[in-house]
Amino acid sequence: PAIVEAQLAGEPLPSTEGRDASAWLLWRQDLRVHWRRLEGDEALLLELAGNGAPFAELCGHLAASASESEAALRAIALLKRWITDTLVIATHPPSKTAP
């Protein structure tokens, strides 16, 4: 974000040297572009979901690194955020119809 803001303001771009790489999410909502930094677990889960993994599998990944109650709370929080950000728009893949 600092680079984009500097570029839009016509200012010199800040250096990225010495900064850790991080995952970012970029999406559109109501014709506006949004972005935010992702935590490691969320980046992994979004990648898995994008490849068709069911929600139960995503929860399994969370449960592998946290207690059951912590994993459940994290799963609920992420799902709520994804719905709010309009990343989730259906609860199942659309059915394929013949042409």
Side-chain angles (χ1 to χ4, degrees):
I3 293 173
V4 172
E5 290 170 0
Q7 192 272 333
L8 291 174
E11 299 172 355
L13 302 182
S15 172
T16 58
E17 190 172 319
R19 293 184 183 188
D20 292 333
S22 57
W24 289 83
L25 176 64
L26 174 69
W27 76 102
R28 290 181 195 223
Q29 182 179 12
D30 298 326
L31 301 177
R32 294 184 54 202
V33 177
H34 301 269
W35 68 83
R36 63 179 171 84
R37 185 185 315 250
L38 296 175
E39 294 183 33
D41 63 345
E42 184 178 11
L44 171 65
L45 296 182
L46 284 172
E47 181 177 351
L48 292 170
N51 289 325
F55 189 69
E57 183 179 331
L58 305 183
C59 293
H61 281 277
L62 289 172
S65 62
S67 72
E68 189 174 311
S69 61
E70 290 173 338
L73 289 173
R74 180 71 172 145
I76 291 166
L78 288 173
L79 183 58
K80 180 181 177 184
R81 178 137 199 201
W82 297 342
I83 291 169
T84 300
D85 290 345
T86 65
L87 301 178
V88 175
I89 57 171
T91 58
H92 55 82
S95 61
K96 296 183 180 182
T97 58

